[in-house]
Amino acid sequence: MFTRTPRVKISTKELEYFQSDDEKQIGFVSVDNIDGTYHALLFDRNSLGRYQIVDMDLDHETIDEARSSLAEMMDNYVPDEKELQKGGKAVDLFTVVAEKSQIHPNFIKLKDEGFFTAAKKVIEEVGYHHEDIDGNFNDQLQSINGFDARIWELYLWCYFREEDFEFDTTHDAPDFMLKKCGEEIAVEAVHVKRTQGLDEEMAQMEFQTVLEKLRNEMPVMFGSPLYSKLTHEYQHQKYWELPHVKGKPLVFAIADFHADMSMTWSFPAITSILYGIEQMAEKDENGKVTLVSASGNKFAKKNNVKISPLFLDDQYKHVSAVLFSPCGTISKFNRMGVQAGYGDSSYTLFQVKMCYNHLKNAVFPNVFFNVIDENSHETWADGIQIFHNPKAAIPLNPLLFPHAGHHFYKDGLLFSEMPPNSIISSTTWNIKNLPFKMRNFSFHTQEIFDNIVRQFNL
C-alpha cells in the first residue's frame, strides 16, 4: 500500500498478489480499467527499502495468461543490484539516535518486546516511505518529548495514504500538504500532551469521575493545544497566511495522549469544546430513555477564565475542520500488522471496540469483541472523525474523506454522517500463550441496557 501511487488506482485494479519465499520480491496481477486487459508486474526492494518495479508484461487477454507470465518472471528473475542500489540508504527508525536518558519507555517496548513485533514491522515499512521534512523525526520518535506526537503523525500519514492523497513535501509547515482530485488541503497535527508521569500507574477511574472530567476538564485539555495552534506563527505568519496554504482548507488533527487509556473515553469532549454541545440520556415517566442535547455550554480554565466553544468563535474561522481519532496508537499499528501477517504467533490480539449506533435515540454504542488475525478487515480510517467548522472561511470538502465520520453543526444541533461500525473507543488486549482459542462476538448494548433497567427498576 505504501509503495503504490494513489493515481494508479484510476487506471488499474489489483486482483491477485504473490511473493517470493524470502518476501523480497512481490508481484501482482491487475486488470486495466479502460480496455479490460490483464497485466503482470514484478517488484523488488531497492536500497531505500521501497518496492521498485523490475519487470512487467502487459495487455493479456485472460487472467490465466497474466498469472503464467508473472510466475515465469518470478522463476527467472535475477536482481540487478547496481540498479537497486541507486536510491541511497533506507531509513531505519529503530536505530537509536536519541540520548539514552531521553528515550521514551514506550519506544523501548516497541523496539524490543515481542508484544509489539507486528507494530514494529509496520512502522519500519512506513519509515521507508515517510519523508522526514524536519530532519529530526528519528530523534523525536524515540524521545520522551516526541514519541506520542510522532506516532500520531505516522498514523495520520497511513490514513491519508489510504484515502488516496498525495503528499507535497516541499514545505516544512504545516505537517501535511495533501493533494487529491485537483484540491489541496493543509493539515497540522497536534496532541494533548501527557500529564500522567511515565512511571506513574494508570488511574482506575469510576464512571462518575469520567463524567465529571468530560464536563469541563477534558474539553479544556483539548481546547488548549487547539487554540495554541491557532495563535502559533511559522516564519512570522499564521498557518493560513503562508503562501502555500492561503486559499486552501486548514485542518487541525488532534489526539489525546494525556494519560494511559484516556483516548478510550475522551471522545465526547471534542464536541463539547468545538460546539458547546453535551449529550445526555434522560428517562421519561414511561421509562423510555432518549438522548437530549444541551447547547451553549462554556468552560472554565483553572484561573476561572471562561472559554467559548472554538467553532462558535469568529477568530477560529480560519480552521476549516478538526480531525480526531481515538485509534492513533501503537495498538493500531499492532492490529494492522497482525492483520497483514506480521508478528509473533504466540501472542493473541483481542480488540474490544465500541462503535457508533445508528438506531434512532440509541443511548449506548454497539460493542464488538474481535480476535485480530489475517481474516480481520480493519482499516486506517476506522475511528477517524472530522468535525466541520460552521463558520469556516474555507469549508472542507467531506467527499475527499469518504471513509471518515463527518459532523456538522447547525442551530444548536450536531448532524453526523457515520460509516458503518465507526469506532468511538477501542481497547486491545495482547495476551501471550493463551491456552484456548477465543472467538468473535458482539452485542447491541441498547437491548442489554433495557434489560438492566427493567431488572433493577432504574
Side-chain angles (χ1 to χ4, degrees):
M1 182 186 96
F2 304 131
T3 294
R4 181 197 306 112
T5 302
R7 68 185 67 179
V8 169
K9 293 182 180 180
I10 299 173
S11 58
T12 61
K13 180 181 179 182
E14 295 161 17
L15 301 177
E16 298 175 352
Y17 302 88
F18 304 85
Q19 66 180 23
S20 59
D21 292 338
D22 60 4
E23 300 184 11
K24 195 169 184 294
Q25 291 89 41
I26 60 171
F28 64 80
V29 173
S30 64
V31 62
D32 193 300
N33 291 332
I34 299 172
D35 62 16
T37 58
Y38 296 90
H39 309 319
L41 298 98
L42 180 62
F43 296 79
D44 195 359
R45 281 197 190 269
N46 60 25
S47 58
L48 289 172
R50 303 173 184 178
Y51 281 106
Q52 173 180 321
I53 190 164
V54 292
D55 201 356
M56 68 177 77
D57 191 10
L58 308 179
D59 300 327
H60 290 280
E61 292 297 321
T62 69
I63 191 171
D64 287 336
E65 291 178 8
R67 287 189 192 118
S68 298
S69 177
L70 179 60
E72 185 176 347
M73 282 185 210
M74 298 185 79
D75 288 341
N76 298 325
Y77 174 67
V78 177
D80 183 343
E81 295 297 342
K82 185 177 180 180
E83 181 67 27
L84 293 172
Q85 295 297 320
K86 283 184 177 180
K89 190 176 180 181
V91 173
D92 181 2
L93 295 178
F94 292 96
T95 295
V96 175
V97 295
E99 293 290 334
K100 187 175 181 180
S101 62
Q102 294 299 310
I103 296 177
H104 199 296
N106 286 347
F107 175 78
I108 298 298
K109 292 178 182 178
L110 177 63
K111 176 177 177 291
D112 297 332
E113 292 190 5
F115 282 100
F116 300 111
T117 304
K120 180 182 179 182
K121 181 62 177 176
V122 173
I123 291 173
E124 283 178 342
E125 289 290 335
V126 176
Y128 297 147
H129 301 83
H130 175 267
E131 297 286 344
D132 182 4
I133 299 175
D134 300 327
N136 59 5
F137 193 93
N138 279 36
D139 182 80
Q140 291 197 3
L141 175 67
Q142 299 171 14
S143 71
I144 292 172
N145 293 326
F147 179 80
D148 293 334
R150 293 312 196 183
I151 286 292
W152 175 232
E153 288 178 30
L154 286 177
Y155 168 70
L156 290 172
W157 189 93
C158 294
Y159 166 63
F160 294 143
R161 192 62 184 243
E162 184 180 75
E163 290 281 32
D164 295 331
F165 282 102
E166 295 184 274
F167 299 94
D168 177 359
T169 57
T170 58
H171 306 283
D172 293 341
D175 292 310
F176 300 96
M177 291 299 300
L178 307 176
K179 296 181 178 181
K180 182 179 178 181
C181 299
E183 298 190 44
E184 296 182 64
I185 301 167
V187 180
E188 176 67 10
V190 59
H191 70 289
V192 181
K193 292 184 179 179
R194 190 176 183 91
T195 58
Q196 174 190 342
L198 289 172
D199 56 354
E200 183 181 345
E201 289 189 10
M202 182 179 68
Q204 300 295 325
M205 291 191 299
E206 295 182 356
F207 182 63
Q208 193 61 39
T209 303
V210 171
L211 291 180
E212 288 298 324
K213 286 180 173 291
L214 288 174
R215 289 195 175 97
N216 188 82
E217 181 182 338
M218 197 64 235
V220 171
M221 292 182 76
F222 274 123
S224 179
L226 287 171
Y227 187 78
S228 295
K229 285 294 181 181
L230 182 74
T231 57
H232 177 76
E233 291 189 353
Y234 175 77
Q235 296 181 348
H236 308 294
Q237 291 179 300
K238 301 288 196 300
Y239 286 119
W240 59 88
E241 296 172 339
L242 295 170
H244 58 282
V245 177
K246 189 176 295 185
K248 303 176 179 68
L250 172 63
V251 177
F252 289 165
I254 191 166
D256 171 27
F257 289 96
H258 87 269
D260 293 341
M261 304 294 288
S262 61
M263 65 287 296
T264 63
W265 56 264
S266 60
F267 188 139
I270 279 287
T271 59
S272 297
I273 192 59
L274 294 180
Y275 305 111
I277 289 177
E278 181 182 2
Q279 290 187 314
M280 299 164 290
E282 290 188 355
K283 185 174 68 172
D284 63 20
E285 57 187 15
N286 297 317
K288 183 179 180 181
V289 179
T290 57
L291 278 181
V292 177
S293 292
S295 61
N297 294 335
K298 292 189 176 182
F299 311 95
K301 299 175 73 172
K302 288 183 179 180
N303 57 6
N304 288 323
V305 173
K306 293 292 183 181
I307 303 174
S308 297
L310 300 182
F311 277 175
L312 304 186
D313 190 333
D314 281 337
Q315 66 175 325
Y316 224 81
K317 67 182 181 181
H318 303 289
V319 180
S320 305
V322 165
L323 182 153
F324 168 80
S325 174
C327 299
T329 63
I330 297 178
S331 291
K332 178 74 168 187
F333 288 93
N334 224 20
R335 295 194 303 271
M336 296 299 283
V338 170
Q339 180 176 288
Y342 300 135
D344 185 335
S345 60
S346 66
Y347 292 90
T348 298
L349 258 62
F350 190 70
Q351 181 191 26
V352 182
K353 61 179 181 180
M354 290 187 282
C355 299
Y356 185 83
N357 189 336
H358 288 79
L359 292 179
K360 186 177 181 181
N361 291 325
V363 175
F364 286 105
N366 293 321
V367 180
F368 296 85
F369 297 78
N370 294 331
V371 177
I372 307 302
D373 56 27
E374 292 184 57
N375 296 314
S376 301
H377 299 287
E378 185 169 0
T379 67
W380 295 107
D382 287 349
I384 291 284
Q385 311 293 335
I386 298 178
F387 299 88
H388 295 258
N389 187 352
K391 293 179 176 285
I394 304 172
L396 179 70
N397 181 359
L399 298 179
L400 297 176
F401 302 85
H403 301 102
H406 292 274
H407 308 269
F408 307 89
Y409 176 88
K410 184 177 181 181
D411 299 331
L413 295 175
L414 194 64
F415 299 87
S416 300
E417 298 175 0
M418 304 286 277
N421 297 325
S422 181
I423 296 175
I424 58 178
S425 178
S426 172
T427 303
T428 303
W429 300 90
N430 197 340
I431 308 168
K432 186 174 184 179
N433 297 327
L434 191 68
F436 57 89
K437 187 174 182 180
M438 302 186 74
R439 63 182 181 87
N440 298 338
F441 63 96
S442 62
F443 60 79
H444 190 304
T445 50
Q446 181 69 53
E447 296 171 1
I448 291 178
F449 176 78
D450 289 343
N451 289 335
I452 292 174
V453 168
R454 285 192 295 269
Q455 182 177 349
F456 295 102
N457 193 28
L458 298 177

